[in-house]
Amino acid sequence: ESAGGILIGFHWSNYPAVMPQNHLFPFHAFFVWGEAIYRFIDPGGHSCNCILPSGLWLQDHNDGGAATQLTPKVDFVLACFDSSAAYNLHQTEETLSQFYLWILELIERQPNWGVIVKSKNWSAEVMAVLRRGDLIVAKMQGLSAAGRLRILPPKVSPLRAAAQAHLSVCYGLNSAGIVAALHGYRAVHWDCSRWYRHPFYDDPEQRFIFRSLDEMEQAIFQAAGGSEKVGDFSRWQPAFNYFGDYDAPRRVGCFMRDVMSSLNESGDVEKSLHLAVERYIRENDVGAPFCGPCGSDSRVH
């Protein structure tokens, strides 16, 4: 503000619970994928001037590359997504180790199954420090030597792995899995943190979030047997991807252009933000719960 500008932010991850105020920076404009994320921000309070829907910004990577690296004997491919884990998080290294041993042993028992591992930030070397990490790495090396496991670098988009798999299998209520599902790829999640009050559990027909690894394993076998209900996220797509497209970069880019153009003309930060928000709402047909009064003492809700 002292420099005559505004602070704009994207939410960077799926939110599994109501967020406290100190979780967010005091953005002038904060863009979320859709209504589902907004519902986890507003009850906790926030210091953003306005919260607007952007839709999804991650683009697909269905280039047909990863699956060709597995042995031709593999006829059912899983994509494996993990996440952050530490002693002071709701996801621990203990449950992460449990997840990896479970999925690797599952693949070992099914000679025609393979897995593409797309870790958030764990390399094979780092996994060795996990509880029973030596066993995890040994199993990975054995399956890799047999052509039934490939590891993608952490910097690679999770969509590259999801595009080459029949089903994505996720540690925790996983952002990568939700993004994959929003692109139409099926994904299942092990709710190791027990977010049992999440709205997902209010949907009696959902088959993508599971309370135990045993339940998820049963679902995976159903998917391997041809069930299309397992991992289907279509009923929830409108709540997580407001516009139903992947055009967020253009949309937000236009918003930034409008703010800067107005600032160049008037030098008035408050007025420029107000006009840009009004135009964004109008041109993108933004409605409830986001649409509302916007001004120096109000927010877009």
Side-chain angles (χ1 to χ4, degrees), residues 188-208:
V188 292
H189 308 251
W190 173 39
D191 185 9
C192 59
S193 303
R194 303 180 181 180
W195 300 112
Y196 295 162
R197 295 175 63 186
H198 195 285
F200 285 156
Y201 286 107
D202 295 333
D203 181 356
E205 297 185 22
Q206 70 83 15
R207 294 286 292 153
F208 55 81

Side-chain angles (χ1 to χ4, degrees), residues 88-277:
N88 59 346
L89 297 178
H90 55 265
Q91 295 175 164
T92 67
E93 294 183 1
E94 171 69 25
T95 55
L96 180 61
S97 298
Q98 185 180 355
F99 173 76
Y100 265 118
L101 286 173
W102 165 78
I103 194 168
L104 293 171
E105 290 171 358
L106 177 63
I107 297 297
E108 287 176 336
R109 296 197 305 269
Q110 307 301 317
N112 294 327
W113 289 17
V115 60
I116 301 170
V117 176
K118 164 57 185 76
S119 177
K120 180 178 180 180
N121 47 29
W122 298 82
S123 65
E125 292 76 14
V126 175
M127 288 180 191
V129 307
L130 294 174
R131 182 177 180 275
R132 304 185 72 186
D134 290 343
L135 179 59
I136 292 172
V137 173
K139 287 180 177 294
M140 284 186 168
Q141 291 173 342
L143 288 170
S144 178
R148 298 172 57 204
L149 179 146
R150 291 294 179 265
I151 299 177
L152 298 183
K155 66 180 180 179
V156 171
S157 168
L159 294 171
R160 189 179 299 275
Q164 306 302 329
H166 297 92
L167 183 70
S168 296
V169 181
C170 307
Y171 169 67
L173 184 44
N174 191 286
S175 300
I178 288 179
V179 168
L182 291 174
H183 278 271
Y185 303 117
R186 293 186 296 156
V188 292
H189 308 251
W190 173 39
D191 185 9
C192 59
S193 303
R194 303 180 181 180
W195 300 112
Y196 295 162
R197 295 175 63 186
H198 195 285
F200 285 156
Y201 286 107
D202 295 333
D203 181 356
E205 297 185 22
Q206 70 83 15
R207 294 286 292 153
F208 55 81
I209 185 168
F210 299 92
R211 301 187 183 208
S212 72
L213 289 173
D214 287 342
E215 289 180 350
M216 194 156 75
E217 183 170 317
Q218 293 175 14
I220 293 172
F221 276 105
Q222 291 172 1
S227 172
E228 296 184 358
K229 292 183 179 180
V230 173
D232 178 21
F233 199 68
S234 58
R235 288 161 57 88
W236 285 87
Q237 283 187 351
F240 275 81
N241 188 10
Y242 189 83
F243 297 103
D245 60 25
Y246 313 102
D247 205 22
R250 181 199 61 79
R251 225 174 256 118
V252 177
C254 289
F255 176 86
M256 296 168 64
R257 177 203 61 199
D258 290 342
V259 171
M260 291 188 290
S261 295
S262 182
L263 277 173
N264 287 335
E265 293 178 3
S266 68
D268 188 325
V269 174
E270 185 176 303
K271 178 181 178 182
S272 298
L273 177 62
H274 180 95
L275 292 175
V277 170

